[in-house]
Amino acid sequence: MQYFTEANSVEAVLERMTDCPDPRLRQVMESVVRHLHAVVKEVEPTMEEWFQAVRFLTATGQICDDKRQEWILLSDTLGVSMLVDAINNRKHQGGTESTVLGPFHVACAPRVEMGESIARDGKGEPAFIEGRVLDADGKPVEGAELDVWQASDDGFYDIQQPDVQPEMNLRGRFTTGADGRFWFWTVKPSPYPIPTDGPVGRMLDSLGRHPYRPAHIHFIVSAPGYDAVTTHLFVEGGDYLDSDAVFGVKDSLVVPFRQVTDEGEIGEAGAAGPFWRTDFDFTLERAAATQAA
């Protein structure tokens, strides 16, 4: 047994973990202890600074509820979410790159028929999104589901404004046919700030960082026998692409949105007036179990 000292702090704590029956838990906690103690020894916080850190973590948990996940915001703004995502979504067959899920996804969004709109409040500039879901060989994937969601033209998700936006505004799930195609109407996304009324917002302000995310639409694309991909489509030329508050931008996910003003194309699309348009193909990689079979 070792008594705890500043010099042997790591060894003293790790010694208490030798009977841990879960090898993975032991591996994770040993690493956490080593790195946490290294940080403390490097910065040598005062007692007040340490208590301030504890208060920050306490406040982060206290603001969380079924509509707000401050811990995800903290992970996102420190780049941890993107790092975990990158480690767990390494592409080997040329699949579409992933990015962060974010804190505003809602399970069981309504199913929507191809060609319909997910904009239920009538606000914003109309946008037509189309493309295909393909496998790594470029063949269409039938029965792929696209779970889509985005912020409103004002920069808020429906769950942030339950008394302002219709329920499930700008959310929908689509299923591809034999040709793998998808197409639907929404509104052109706008940049927006992540919530800044909590401890994460105060942290960003203290660090001299802005809270903005560039304009984007969220997708989870999945199909039986394939690895699902959680990703965004970002608007080319938009603000904050090079300084996304959550580090989510990747070059391959930045796409041009073309404004359609030609009367013939407007009429062909069945639109009431000018609109925006973009086309993107998602590529799914086969799941490891499917490849082995």
Side-chain angles (χ1 to χ4, degrees):
M1 183 189 74
Q2 298 186 69
Y3 289 113
F4 189 98
T5 67
E6 180 180 340
N8 75 356
S9 65
V10 172
E11 292 75 14
V13 175
L14 296 188
E15 187 177 57
R16 305 290 178 90
M17 300 183 187
T18 55
D19 293 330
C20 177
D22 185 330
R24 177 60 173 168
L25 176 61
R26 179 176 173 180
Q27 176 192 14
V28 170
M29 290 306 299
E30 285 182 350
S31 181
V32 168
V33 168
R34 288 192 180 96
H35 288 281
L36 182 57
H37 282 232
V39 169
V40 173
K41 290 179 179 181
E42 178 181 340
V43 303
E44 297 187 342
T46 65
M47 292 301 295
E48 176 54 32
E49 288 171 336
W50 178 246
F51 285 130
Q52 179 62 28
V54 172
R55 287 192 288 268
F56 171 79
L57 296 175
T58 301
T60 299
Q62 288 173 333
I63 202 172
C64 294
D65 57 29
D66 61 339
K67 300 290 192 303
R68 173 75 172 267
Q69 236 306 342
E70 194 79 358
W71 282 109
I72 291 179
L73 284 180
L74 180 59
S75 174
D76 288 351
T77 55
L78 294 179
V80 177
S81 297
M82 279 299 293
L83 179 57
V84 173
D85 179 82
I87 290 170
N88 284 274
N89 291 283
R90 296 174 179 132
K91 302 301 179 183
H92 305 289
Q93 305 165 40
T96 297
E97 290 191 287
S98 61
T99 188
V100 291
L101 175 67
F104 299 113
H105 177 254
V106 173
C108 300
R111 292 200 172 275
V112 183
E113 294 297 321
M114 291 296 182
E116 293 186 357
S117 178
I118 61 173
R120 298 177 174 88
D121 63 356
K123 297 180 179 179
E125 299 179 83
F128 187 69
I129 314 298
E130 60 185 325
R132 298 173 296 167
V133 179
L134 308 172
D135 66 15
D137 296 321
K139 298 177 181 178
V141 177
E142 182 177 6
E145 180 180 275
L146 296 96
D147 187 350
V148 185
W149 71 103
Q150 68 178 88
S152 70
D153 185 57
D154 296 326
F156 295 95
Y157 291 86
D158 58 339
I159 59 175
Q160 293 178 282
Q161 296 182 311
D163 299 325
V164 176
Q165 295 188 45
E167 186 177 5
M168 294 293 176
N169 188 37
L170 296 166
R171 299 181 187 273
R173 288 184 294 159
F174 302 87
T175 303
T176 61
D179 60 1
R181 290 192 63 239
F182 64 89
W183 65 99
F184 63 92
W185 287 92
T186 183
V187 297
K188 187 185 181 189
S190 302
Y192 65 86
I194 64 171
T196 58
D197 58 339
V200 171
R202 292 191 290 274
M203 178 193 74
L204 292 180
D205 185 60
S206 297
L207 292 172
R209 290 177 54 186
H210 73 72
Y212 281 88
R213 298 219 62 207
H216 62 275
I217 303 175
H218 294 262
F219 290 84
I220 298 176
V221 187
S222 59
Y226 295 86
D227 288 330
V229 60
T230 298
T231 193
H232 302 357
L233 293 185
F234 295 93
V235 179
E236 184 179 78
D239 295 332
Y240 310 111
L241 287 170
D242 60 352
S243 60
D244 181 6
V246 307
F247 306 96
V249 181
K250 295 181 178 179
D251 284 343
S252 66
L253 304 177
V254 179
V255 299
F257 275 64
R258 177 174 63 90
Q259 188 170 30
V260 176
T261 56
D262 178 76
E263 292 294 337
E265 190 172 353
I266 291 172
E268 183 181 339
F275 65 96
W276 295 87
R277 188 170 204 158
T278 194
D279 188 315
F280 187 85
D281 291 343
F282 294 98
T283 300
L284 297 182
E285 296 190 349
R286 289 197 174 274
T290 304
Q291 296 180 54

